[in-house]
Amino acid sequence: MTGARELHLNLFIYPGGHHEAARRHGSSDTARLLDIRFYQDLARRAEAAAFDGIFLADGPALADNVRYASRFRLEPLTWLSAVAAATERIGLIGTASTTYTEPYNLARQFASLDHLSAGRAGWNIVTTGAPQAAANFGLDAHPVHAERYERARDFLEAVTKLWDSWEDGALVADQAGGLFADTDRIHAVDHEGPLLSVKGPLNIPRSPQGRPVYVQAGSSPDGRALAARYAETVFTAHQTLESAQEFYADLKRRAARLGRDPGQLLVLPGISPFVASTEAEARRLHEQFNSLTQPEYSLELLHRLLGIRLSQEELDGPVPRELIGTEGERGDHSRFRLVLGIIEREELTVRQLLHRLAGARGHRVIAGTPEQVADQLSQWFEQGAADGFNVMPPWLPGGFEVFADEVVPILRRRGLFRHAYTGSTLREHYGLPRPGSRYAARAAPSVV
Amino acid sequence: MTGARELHLNLFIYPGGHHEAARRHGSSDTARLLDIRFYQDLARRAEAAAFDGIFLADGPALADNVRYASRFRLEPLTWLSAVAAATERIGLIGTASTTYTEPYNLARQFASLDHLSAGRAGWNIVTTGAPQAAANFGLDAHPVHAERYERARDFLEAVTKLWDSWEDGALVADQAGGLFADTDRIHAVDHEGPLLSVKGPLNIPRSPQGRPVYVQAGSSPDGRALAARYAETVFTAHQTLESAQEFYADLKRRAARLGRDPGQLLVLPGISPFVASTEAEARRLHEQFNSLTQPEYSLELLHRLLGIRLSQEELDGPVPRELIGTEGERGDHSRFRLVLGIIEREELTVRQLLHRLAGARGHRVIAGTPEQVADQLSQWFEQGAADGFNVMPPWLPGGFEVFADEVVPILRRRGLFRHAYTGSTLREHYGLPRPGSRYAARAAPSVV
C-alpha cells in the first residue's frame, strides 16, 4: 500500500442485531430475519459506504438459548453466495469450522464463492467452541482445545495446497488446438498430515484471489499462534485500549518472528456502537436496549462465559467471585479472561455485568455522538490497538445506518477511511497481495 | 393436480454443454465457463420459458479427462444460491453426495438454499460413482456400491428428521412477550442409524418447502429401491422407448408397493436435442459436433463405461465384444447395461459407438426439426415412458435457446406444457405436496 495508512471496516451481521435484546426493540426489523433480501440490502448499504467486507458468524449446532434470542444460524456459504449476486465490490467473509467440515468440501465451496463473487471471498477460520456440535456429527465428545487446533493447522495446510493445485492459466479452453486444460499445471496435492490425508487436485480452477482471505478469531495462545502463521485479518474482542494494544503488539511480533510482514496481518477488533446526536441520548438508547434484556437469557450466557449459575434473586448483588471457575474449564479462553478483567477492574452488580455483556457478548460497546465514536476508533487506530474494526450494530438495519451516515463521514474527513473503492477484490480492499501457487514453475528470482 | 396431465422440463446445465466436443464448436460460449452471470442468464432464459428447474451435476473429485473436455465442477450449493438471487420462480436442483458429506452440514445448506430462494431447492441425491473421490477424503478405498447405498438410506433418514426438527411456527419473534422461538416446537432428532448418529435439532427454522424436493438418479436395483422409497423426481438415461417404459413402470410399481402415490414420483429421462429447421440440417449439425470429438477423450470414456481399453487404430473396426468386462466390475451398473444394449442392438464400429456416447454420455440424443423433437417427447410422455424431461443441451447457450424458442411452443400448443408458472415453489411446479413435520403435534386423523 502507498499513501497514508487507512483503517478497514467490516459490517459484522448477526441476524436481528448484536444486542441480545435487539429484536425486542421497536426499531428492529424482525419480520425479515430469514429473508435474503434483508441481508442483500444491508450488504448493498455497506457497499455504498465502501466497507471492506461483511462478516457472518457460524456454528454447526443450535444455541441453547434460542428461546429468548435470535440465535439460529444462516449458513454462510449459501447466504454469502446469494449476497454476492446482489453486490459488486464488498468482501464476503464467512465462518466455517475446521473441526466439523472436510477440507475438500470446504476448499471447493470457498473457491466457488471466490469465483462467483469475482474475488471477494474471506474465510473466518474457527475450530468451533460449542461442545454440542459434536453430537450432530456422531462424536461422543467435542475434541479438546489442543486437538481442535492440531486439526486446524493440518486442515489449513491441506486446503491451501488444494487452492494452489490449479496454477493460473491451467484452464486453456483452446478451441482450435483441442486442449481444455493444461494438466501439467494441475497438481495432486498428496497432503499427508498428522490427522488428514487429501489427494487432490481440486476440481475447479484457481479462483480470482488465489484463495480466500484468511480470517481468524481465536485469542488463546493456540489461537494467536495459528493467527500469526496463517491469518491475514484477525477479529478480536477487547474492552480496553491496553488489552487491545497488548494483543496487537503480540500478534505483529509473532508474525514477524515467523518471517511474515506484520503489515499483512490486520487486527480488527469488534465494536458495537450506539450513536445519537448527544452523548446523553446515546446512553439512554443503550440503557433502553439493556432494559429489554431477559435475565433467563443473560444468566445462561454468564454461565457459558464464566461457569457460574446464578438466580434472578442475585441480580442486584455483587458478582460472587469465589464461584468463578478456572480458565481451563472454559471453551473460550480469551473471552473468559475478558469478562474476568471487567469484574476485576470494576465494582459491578450481576445485573450491571450482564448489561455490559448484552451489547455484543463481550465486544466493546461505545455509546456516544458521531464525533465521540469516531474519536474512539481513531484513538485505537492511531495508538497501536487496531488496523480497523468489525462493526457490530446493536440492532438492524438502523444501528448500522446511523454509523454509516454519521460516523463514516467523520473518519473520511480525518483521512482515515476511503471515499470509494480503489480495488475490486477483498485482498485489494485490505491491501493484501494475491498469493501465487506453490506449484507454479516460475523462473526463480536470482539470489546471486 | 387437477386438469390435464402436463409434462415437466428441467434445464440440465453442464458447463459448456453436454456434447463432449461442445467447447470446440464455434457456437459455444467458452469464455464464460466460470462466470456466474453466464449461468444466471441461462437460468433466467429457462425461467422465461417456465421450466420447472435447472439442474447441476456434481462429484467431489476432478475427472481424469479434464485435458480434453470441460470437466471441472461448479460447486452446486454456492452456485445455485447465486443463481437464486438472479431469478424468482425457477427451481434449483443441486447434486450432493451422501458418501462424502456430513448430514448436518448438508441439511443446513439445503435448508438455507430453500430459504434464500423462497422454496425452490431440490437435492439430487447421489452416492458418488467416481472412485477417485475417496483419496480426497482420506479413505483408502471408495466404499463399494452396497455400502454406499446403506449410508445413503441412513443419511436420508437423518436429514429428513433434521428438516423436520423445527415445526412450522416454531419461530415466534414475539416482541412484546419476549419469546423468540417456541422451544416446545423444536426437536432433537436423536437419529441412531446403522452408520450415522445425529442429535440435532437443526440450527435454522423450517424452510418454505419443508425440505428440498428429493431427486435421485441411480438406476441399479439399489438405486431403484432408494428412489421408490424417497425420490420425488427421478433422472434417468434411456436410449429406447421400451427401456424407458420398463423403468417407468417398475419405479411406479415399486413406489405403489411401498404405499406411496406413484403420481408423486416423477420420472424425467435425459434428452439431448439437436434442433434445426430440417431433419437433414439437424443431422448435419450433430455430425459436425461428432467430428470435433477427440479419440483420446472418447476412448477413455469408453474405458470408464465398459472397462475396455482400445487404441486409435481400432476406431474403424467393430466393437470387440469379447473384451467387455462384467457388470459387477463397473461403478455405474445401469449405464453399463445401456451401452451394452446399444452394442447388442446395432452393428457399430468403435467410432460410431463413441459418437453415440459423445452427445450426453449415454443419454438419448434427438436430432430433428422442432416438430420431430416435440413428437418424440410427446410419444414418451403419452406412452408411459416419462413424466417430463431433463433437457441436456449439446452446447450452450444456443443449444438451449433453440429448444426453448422452437420446441416448447409446440408442446404448449399441444396442451402438454404450461404457458406460465401457476405456483412459486419447486414443489408447486412439480405438483408435489409440502411435507409436514413428523414432530408436529397435530390432531391425528380419526381411524375409527
Side-chain angles (χ1 to χ4, degrees):
Chain A
M1 278 201 301
T2 56
R5 179 173 166 252
E6 286 188 346
L7 60 77
H8 300 279
L9 295 174
N10 296 327
L11 166 59
F12 191 133
I13 299 176
Y14 222 73
H18 284 272
H19 193 284
E20 68 183 46
R23 62 170 190 90
R24 303 191 69 207
H25 194 273
S27 41
S28 290
D29 183 352
T30 56
R32 298 170 74 204
L33 289 179
L34 284 165
D35 182 347
I36 186 67
R37 291 167 299 183
F38 179 65
Y39 302 90
Q40 290 170 332
D41 289 347
L42 278 169
R44 274 191 289 252
R45 190 74 187 70
E47 186 169 72
F51 267 47
D52 294 76
I54 63 166
F55 191 123
L56 283 185
D58 195 46
L62 181 63
D64 292 331
N65 45 23
V66 69
R67 186 169 178 82
Y68 298 109
S70 175
R71 291 292 174 262
F72 62 80
R73 293 292 193 181
L74 306 167
E75 194 286 317
L77 273 305
T78 44
W79 222 255
L80 291 175
S81 296
V83 170
T87 53
E88 289 179 1
R89 303 288 281 277
I90 195 162
L92 306 161
I93 304 158
T95 300
S97 170
T98 54
T99 304
Y100 295 110
T101 63
E102 284 286 344
Y104 201 84
N105 292 336
L106 180 133
R108 294 185 65 201
Q109 295 198 316
F110 275 102
S112 291
L113 178 62
D114 204 46
H115 274 296
L116 64 85
S117 66
R120 297 188 279 140
W123 172 28
N124 179 37
I125 303 153
V126 299
T127 69
T128 302
Q132 67 265 43
N136 293 334
F137 294 83
L139 299 186
D140 291 333
H142 188 52
V144 299
H145 197 265
E147 264 180 64
R148 299 204 307 275
Y149 275 88
E150 185 186 11
R151 181 175 162 105
R153 286 186 295 272
D154 201 1
F155 197 108
L156 272 157
E157 290 296 323
V159 292
T160 305
K161 290 175 192 168
L162 285 171
W163 286 317
D164 281 351
S165 62
W166 287 60
E167 297 180 32
D168 291 317
L171 182 65
V172 179
D174 175 7
Q175 216 167 54
L179 203 64
F180 181 72
D182 177 355
T183 45
D184 293 343
R185 294 204 261 174
I186 304 173
H187 307 271
V189 307
D190 292 325
H191 175 79
E192 291 292 343
L195 298 167
L196 294 165
S197 158
V198 182
K199 180 143 190 267
L202 205 58
N203 55 1
I204 185 165
R206 191 165 175 81
S207 75
Q209 293 191 113
R211 53 179 195 243
V213 172
Y214 289 175
V215 182
Q216 212 265 347
S219 297
S220 67
D222 279 343
R224 291 181 188 209
L226 193 76
R229 184 170 297 278
Y230 297 102
E232 298 171 293
T233 80
V234 170
F235 169 50
T236 180
H238 297 280
Q239 289 279 323
T240 66
L241 176 66
E242 296 67 35
S243 156
Q245 284 170 327
E246 181 279 323
F247 179 80
Y248 187 96
D250 179 57
L251 216 60
K252 301 269 177 172
R253 201 163 38 228
R254 285 171 184 257
R257 218 181 290 137
L258 292 169
R260 293 184 62 196
D261 173 358
Q264 290 177 11
L265 174 56
L266 304 174
V267 177
L268 309 176
I271 58 123
S272 188
F274 283 90
V275 186
S277 51
T278 67
E279 184 179 339
E281 206 188 314
R283 287 187 188 284
R284 241 190 334 270
L285 188 66
H286 187 195
E287 278 157 26
Q288 206 178 64
F289 272 79
N290 283 344
S291 73
L292 294 170
T293 57
Q294 295 167 282
E296 299 91 333
Y297 177 90
S298 318
L299 290 170
E300 181 60 39
L301 178 69
L302 193 69
H303 174 245
R304 244 190 9 261
L305 292 174
L306 289 187
I308 52 179
R309 280 210 184 278
L310 299 177
S311 70
Q312 298 201 32
E313 286 68 46
E314 295 167 277
L315 283 171
D316 293 307
V319 180
R321 300 184 193 198
E322 67 282 6
L323 294 184
I324 296 171
T326 63
E327 186 173 3
E329 303 169 56
R330 307 279 75 74
D332 191 340
H333 298 242
S334 49
R335 204 58 62 86
F336 175 84
R337 293 181 64 185
L338 179 147
V339 180
L340 214 60
I342 298 175
I343 297 169
E344 281 164 5
R345 275 194 312 279
E346 310 174 39
E347 293 288 331
L348 299 175
T349 65
V350 173
R351 191 189 301 275
Q352 286 167 329
L353 177 64
L354 296 182
H355 285 176
R356 288 289 295 277
L357 300 176
R361 300 167 310 287
H363 285 275
R364 185 169 178 230
V365 175
I366 310 177
T369 65
E371 285 286 342
Q372 288 174 323
V373 173
D375 286 347
Q376 292 291 313
L377 304 189
S378 306
Q379 187 196 28
W380 281 39
F381 178 65
E382 285 157 0
Q383 297 187 10
D387 295 307
F389 300 91
N390 279 287
V391 179
M392 308 171 79
W395 78 101
L396 289 171
F400 174 63
E401 287 167 354
V402 62
F403 183 90
D405 291 342
E406 306 292 335
V407 180
V408 169
I410 298 172
L411 297 173
R412 286 194 179 127
R413 280 200 298 276
R414 297 182 184 178
L416 295 178
F417 190 63
R418 69 174 73 86
H419 288 261
Y421 295 109
T422 53
S424 65
T425 69
L426 179 57
R427 290 190 174 278
E428 287 166 354
H429 303 337
Y430 282 143
L432 296 168
R434 178 178 188 270
S437 164
R438 76 189 61 201
Y439 302 105
R442 285 167 304 195
S446 169
V447 289
V448 184
Chain B
M1 279 202 302
T2 56
R5 179 171 165 253
E6 286 188 346
L7 59 77
H8 300 279
L9 295 174
N10 296 328
L11 166 58
F12 191 133
I13 300 175
Y14 222 73
H18 285 271
H19 193 284
E20 68 183 47
R23 64 167 190 92
R24 304 192 70 208
H25 194 272
S27 41
S28 289
D29 184 351
T30 56
R32 299 170 74 204
L33 289 179
L34 284 164
D35 183 347
I36 185 69
R37 290 167 300 182
F38 179 66
Y39 303 90
Q40 290 170 332
D41 289 347
L42 278 170
R44 276 191 287 252
R45 191 72 189 69
E47 186 169 74
F51 267 47
D52 295 78
I54 63 165
F55 191 122
L56 282 185
D58 195 46
L62 181 63
D64 292 330
N65 45 25
V66 72
R67 187 168 178 81
Y68 299 109
S70 175
R71 290 292 173 264
F72 62 80
R73 293 290 194 184
L74 306 167
E75 194 286 316
L77 273 304
T78 44
W79 221 256
L80 291 174
S81 296
V83 169
T87 52
E88 290 179 1
R89 305 288 280 277
I90 196 161
L92 305 161
I93 303 158
T95 300
S97 171
T98 54
T99 304
Y100 294 110
T101 64
E102 285 285 343
Y104 201 83
N105 292 335
L106 180 134
R108 295 186 64 201
Q109 295 199 317
F110 274 101
S112 291
L113 177 62
D114 204 46
H115 275 295
L116 64 86
S117 66
R120 297 187 280 140
W123 172 30
N124 179 37
I125 304 153
V126 299
T127 68
T128 301
Q132 66 265 42
N136 292 333
F137 294 83
L139 300 185
D140 293 332
H142 188 52
V144 299
H145 196 266
E147 264 180 64
R148 298 204 308 274
Y149 275 87
E150 185 184 12
R151 181 175 161 105
R153 287 186 295 273
D154 202 0
F155 196 109
L156 272 156
E157 290 297 322
V159 293
T160 306
K161 289 174 191 167
L162 285 170
W163 285 318
D164 281 350
S165 63
W166 287 60
E167 297 180 31
D168 291 318
L171 182 66
V172 178
D174 175 8
Q175 214 167 56
L179 203 64
F180 181 73
D182 178 355
T183 45
D184 292 342
R185 294 204 260 175
I186 303 174
H187 307 272
V189 308
D190 292 324
H191 175 79
E192 292 292 342
L195 297 167
L196 295 164
S197 157
V198 183
K199 179 142 189 268
L202 205 58
N203 57 1
I204 185 164
R206 191 167 176 79
S207 74
Q209 292 191 113
R211 56 180 193 244
V213 172
Y214 289 176
V215 181
Q216 212 266 348
S219 297
S220 66
D222 278 343
R224 292 181 188 209
L226 194 76
R229 182 169 301 277
Y230 297 102
E232 297 172 292
T233 80
V234 170
F235 170 51
T236 180
H238 297 280
Q239 289 279 323
T240 66
L241 176 66
E242 296 67 35
S243 156
Q245 285 170 326
E246 180 280 324
F247 179 80
Y248 187 96
D250 179 56
L251 216 60
K252 302 270 176 172
R253 198 163 41 228
R254 285 170 183 258
R257 220 181 287 136
L258 293 168
R260 293 185 61 196
D261 173 357
Q264 290 178 10
L265 174 55
L266 305 174
V267 178
L268 309 177
I271 58 124
S272 188
F274 283 90
V275 185
S277 51
T278 67
E279 184 179 338
E281 206 189 316
R283 287 188 188 282
R284 240 190 333 270
L285 188 66
H286 186 194
E287 278 157 28
Q288 205 177 67
F289 273 77
N290 284 344
S291 73
L292 294 170
T293 57
Q294 294 167 283
E296 299 90 334
Y297 177 90
S298 317
L299 290 170
E300 182 59 40
L301 178 70
L302 193 68
H303 174 245
R304 240 185 18 259
L305 292 173
L306 290 187
I308 51 178
R309 281 209 184 278
L310 298 177
S311 70
Q312 297 200 32
E313 286 67 47
E314 294 167 280
L315 283 171
D316 293 306
V319 180
R321 303 184 191 196
E322 67 281 5
L323 295 183
I324 297 170
T326 63
E327 186 173 2
E329 303 168 57
R330 308 278 76 75
D332 191 340
H333 298 242
S334 49
R335 203 58 61 87
F336 175 85
R337 292 180 65 183
L338 178 148
V339 180
L340 214 60
I342 298 176
I343 296 170
E344 281 163 6
R345 275 193 313 279
E346 311 176 37
E347 292 287 332
L348 299 176
T349 65
V350 173
R351 191 189 302 275
Q352 286 168 330
L353 177 64
L354 296 182
H355 285 177
R356 288 290 294 279
L357 300 176
R361 301 166 309 288
H363 285 275
R364 185 170 178 231
V365 176
I366 310 178
T369 65
E371 284 286 342
Q372 288 174 323
V373 173
D375 286 348
Q376 292 291 312
L377 304 189
S378 305
Q379 187 197 28
W380 281 38
F381 179 65
E382 285 158 0
Q383 297 187 10
D387 295 308
F389 300 92
N390 279 288
V391 179
M392 309 172 80
W395 77 101
L396 289 171
F400 174 63
E401 287 168 353
V402 62
F403 183 90
D405 291 343
E406 305 292 335
V407 180
V408 169
I410 299 171
L411 297 173
R412 284 194 178 126
R413 280 199 297 277
R414 296 180 184 179
L416 295 178
F417 190 63
R418 70 173 72 87
H419 287 261
Y421 294 110
T422 52
S424 65
T425 69
L426 180 56
R427 291 190 174 280
E428 287 166 353
H429 303 337
Y430 282 142
L432 296 167
R434 180 179 188 271
S437 164
R438 76 190 60 202
Y439 303 105
R442 285 168 302 196
S446 168
V447 288
V448 183

